[in-house]
Amino acid sequence: MATADEVDVNTLGVKALRELITQAGLSYGDCLEKAELRERAHKAMSTIQLQDAHMPAVAWVQVEPRHVEAPVVPGAIDHGKVRGVWWGICASDLPSKSPGTTRFVVVSDTHEHVEESPRFAGASIPEGDVFLHCGDFTQMGTAVAAERFCDWLDQLTGFKDKVVIAGNHDSCTDPAFGSCEDTLERLRQSAHYLCGSSVSVAGGHVVWGSPTTCWEPRKDGGRPRWAHGVTWGAACQDHGATVPHEVDVVMTHQPPLGRRDAVDNAGKGHAGGCIALREAIEKARPAVHAFGHIHEGHGVSSDGTTLYVNAATLVAAGGAEGGLREPLVFDLANNEH
């Protein structure tokens, strides 16, 4: 795939111009003259240049010098509104929540493995006020799997609120992959289903969620072949611009660049996160940003302002029940009204 730095538009023939325009996801059908093709190709170059800059390995070089990583250990903490966070701890060993707080229980990337697991039956799930699922509740994106997931959600009766977003595997929730309204309606019967939207939950907290993930551009300029997918570059920036301020918890499926996004065997590892999402979270400054997607990134980190929670439950895609992690838990001080 060509990069913007490797292309001189003025030296290209008609075929090469068309290929460049297509690579950027643009069309050239209305360009009747070569001059018009060149003008469109210049726009394509700008698009590709931005896509190149959003490539995680490239973006990380720019981010790393200003990256701040504050240590976090499981237990009671005083971190903005956060009063405690626990991971890798079974429900019976968790302390009770403090007065005046709301307890959130978070999972992600369960991939059809929790519905029949005794470890994830109602009594084994930690007690809490708000249950969050950060996407990829299916493996192959079938409506049948989504129905089974909703049946499992319905058994979690101890929560005041349940909030769900989709992930890249959950194609049954993305109209780009076919009719999905029946599945979405079923999800809304079992939980607050968020797709670029927000909801007020127990404790007066506002939760905003989005399933969007960003991917490497395809050579044919087409959209990513994953549910709710967009291409690095302008589409990622547009998504980042939708993250609101004045929310307590942000839920996305994808992590922000450099925050629990390390991918095994990927150089310095930061290959799973999005730079535009990172910039958006740094501006919005929520108390907690919860996500999943990168299974090996499970855990918690902080930049000193926001607590970043990778709640990926399945240790690795295709893993057996023994590869399920305990739900992650955090407590937030209630908002005063």
Side-chain angles (χ1 to χ4, degrees):
M1 182 179 294
T3 65
D5 293 337
E6 297 170 341
V7 176
D8 180 357
V9 167
N10 295 323
T11 65
L12 299 180
V14 170
K15 181 180 179 181
L17 289 169
R18 289 174 175 171
E19 289 175 348
L20 179 63
I21 293 167
T22 298
Q23 178 182 319
L26 305 177
S27 62
Y28 56 80
D30 59 334
C31 298
L32 303 179
E33 303 291 338
K34 189 172 183 179
E36 294 174 317
L37 277 175
R38 283 180 176 154
E39 183 178 352
R40 187 68 50 82
H42 281 293
K43 182 178 180 180
M45 283 185 60
S46 297
T47 298
I48 294 170
Q49 190 171 38
L50 183 58
Q51 291 171 345
D52 291 344
H54 279 208
M55 185 186 305
V58 174
W60 178 245
V61 172
Q62 303 301 316
V63 167
E64 187 176 19
R66 59 181 176 84
H67 181 75
V68 175
E69 188 83 23
V72 181
V73 296
I77 61 174
D78 186 5
H79 186 287
K81 291 183 179 180
V82 183
R83 293 294 176 265
V85 61
W86 297 268
W87 66 100
I89 300 174
C90 65
S92 60
D93 293 333
L94 286 168
S96 299
K97 69 171 186 173
S98 301
T101 64
T102 301
R103 175 153 290 184
F104 290 75
V105 177
V106 197
V107 300
S108 184
D109 300 84
T110 52
H111 292 288
E112 304 178 30
H113 282 262
V114 296
E115 288 83 352
E116 304 298 332
S117 169
R119 289 176 53 203
F120 282 79
S124 301
I125 295 286
E127 294 182 356
D129 302 297
V130 183
F131 179 81
L132 307 179
H133 194 299
C134 296
D136 275 4
F137 44 84
T138 73
Q139 178 64 25
M140 302 301 294
T142 68
V144 171
E147 176 72 28
R148 290 181 62 241
F149 170 70
C150 290
D151 290 343
W152 175 75
L153 277 179
D154 292 342
Q155 298 173 26
L156 306 183
T157 58
F159 294 93
K160 298 174 183 176
D161 294 286
K162 289 172 277 188
V163 187
V164 173
I165 64 171
N168 59 291
H169 280 260
D170 303 323
S171 52
C172 54
T173 65
D174 186 344
F177 290 80
S179 177
C180 61
E181 193 52 45
D182 288 347
T183 295
L184 295 178
E185 180 57 31
R186 181 67 182 89
L187 283 164
R188 296 185 189 108
Q189 291 172 4
S190 298
H192 302 290
Y193 175 73
L194 302 183
C195 187
S197 54
S198 61
V199 64
S200 181
V201 298
H205 300 291
V206 178
V207 179
W208 181 88
S210 169
T212 300
T213 53
C214 60
W215 301 87
E216 181 179 3
R218 286 171 48 183
K219 291 182 179 181
D220 64 1
R223 59 158 287 165
R225 293 188 173 94
W226 293 102
H228 306 286
V230 298
T231 299
W232 295 337
C236 290
Q237 288 184 328
D238 291 344
H239 174 246
T242 67
V243 178
H245 298 198
E246 307 302 325
V247 296
D248 301 291
V249 179
V250 168
M251 296 172 67
T252 60
H253 185 58
Q254 184 172 30
L257 182 69
R259 303 296 179 191
R260 311 304 305 184
D261 67 332
V263 176
D264 292 342
N265 303 317
K268 289 192 175 181
H270 298 290
C274 174
I275 179 60
L277 181 58
R278 177 187 175 117
E279 293 169 349
I281 295 296
E282 289 176 346
K283 292 178 182 178
R285 298 165 65 89
V288 176
H289 180 193
F291 47 86
H293 190 47
I294 305 303
H295 294 235
E296 54 265 61
H298 177 269
V300 179
S301 65
S302 169
D303 62 5
T305 300
T306 295
L307 201 69
Y308 296 91
V309 170
N310 183 328
T313 302
L314 195 64
V315 173
E321 181 184 318
L324 292 172
R325 301 180 175 103
E326 300 292 339
L328 197 147
V329 175
F330 64 86
D331 293 347
L332 289 187
N334 293 340
N335 287 330
E336 297 181 1
H337 295 283

